[in-house]
Amino acid sequence: MNKLYYYNLSIEEIKKIQDAKIKPKLLLHACCAPCSCFPLMFLSEYFDITIYYNNSNIYPKEEYEIRLNELKSFIQKYYPNIDIIIPNYDYDNYIKDLIPYKDLPELSTRCFICYAKRMDEAYCFANENHYDYFCTVMTISRQKDSIKLNEIGQALSHKYPNTKYFYSDFKKKDGALLGNNIAKSLNMYRQQYCGCEFSIHNKEGKLI
């Protein structure tokens, strides 16, 4: 598959939206502020965005709160018209499906289950609340599998047919670099592990 395949799909979809002269509603799953910088810059001109912060994978709760507060501060300052929806934090229940895979490395079955759980919950909300599109910021990360994320999104689009999936690969065309530069310039908190307790144990000191 061409490395720009999902990026090109996103550009094609935006062109259709521009031609239709509409600004559709998009529910954007966001995991943290640094990962949201470039996707919001990329999308905000074309969509009426609501952020969905459902990240019960993050351990411990103090870390979850730090990331959430950083995201809130960023949105309030630079995108004050965007609302953030925050479902209840429930790590103990969330982690049950990941425990059988706790010894696997990053970018393995454990991570793919985690992507799918969060995307499914957010997509369900989008479908039930009449959003035109659903998207996740996670394709910005060089440490996450964009092909897998988009495959999950495509599968969920059949499960939730009222909301269209917006394909993306935000890291392409220097998106990851631009997002990283924005986060650095704003002195954002940038986590040192992906989220769950198993990613803490497996981390190698790299920014996720």
Side-chain angles (χ1 to χ4, degrees), residues 76-89:
Q76 288 168 1
K77 186 170 183 179
Y78 295 100
Y79 297 93
N81 294 325
I82 291 180
D83 292 327
I84 304 177
I85 297 171
I86 308 166
N88 290 334
Y89 175 80

Side-chain angles (χ1 to χ4, degrees), residues 96-162:
K96 290 177 182 176
D97 291 335
L98 305 187
I99 288 174
Y101 308 97
K102 64 183 178 66
D103 295 323
L104 293 181
E106 300 299 289
L107 278 179
S108 67
T109 299
R110 185 186 74 241
C111 299
F112 300 157
I113 291 171
C114 184
Y115 302 165
K117 282 171 68 70
R118 285 182 286 160
M119 289 175 68
D120 189 302
E121 180 188 340
Y123 211 138
C124 181
F125 182 91
N127 187 75
E128 291 179 351
N129 289 275
H130 312 293
Y131 284 86
D132 301 298
Y133 288 86
F134 167 76
C135 185
T136 177
V137 305
M138 290 193 289
T139 64
I140 190 70
S141 174
R142 294 189 179 98
Q143 283 75 39
K144 288 183 172 61
D145 187 331
S146 294
I147 293 176
K148 189 66 178 180
L149 286 163
N150 281 292
E151 287 175 347
I152 292 168
Q154 183 178 34
L156 290 172
S157 71
H158 299 297
K159 184 178 180 180
Y160 302 117
N162 295 330

Side-chain angles (χ1 to χ4, degrees), residues 104-108 110-111 194 196 198-200 202-203 208:
L104 293 181
E106 300 299 289
L107 278 179
S108 67
R110 185 186 74 241
C111 299
C194 184
C196 75
F198 313 125
S199 65
I200 299 175
N202 293 328
K203 71 178 182 177
I208 301 301

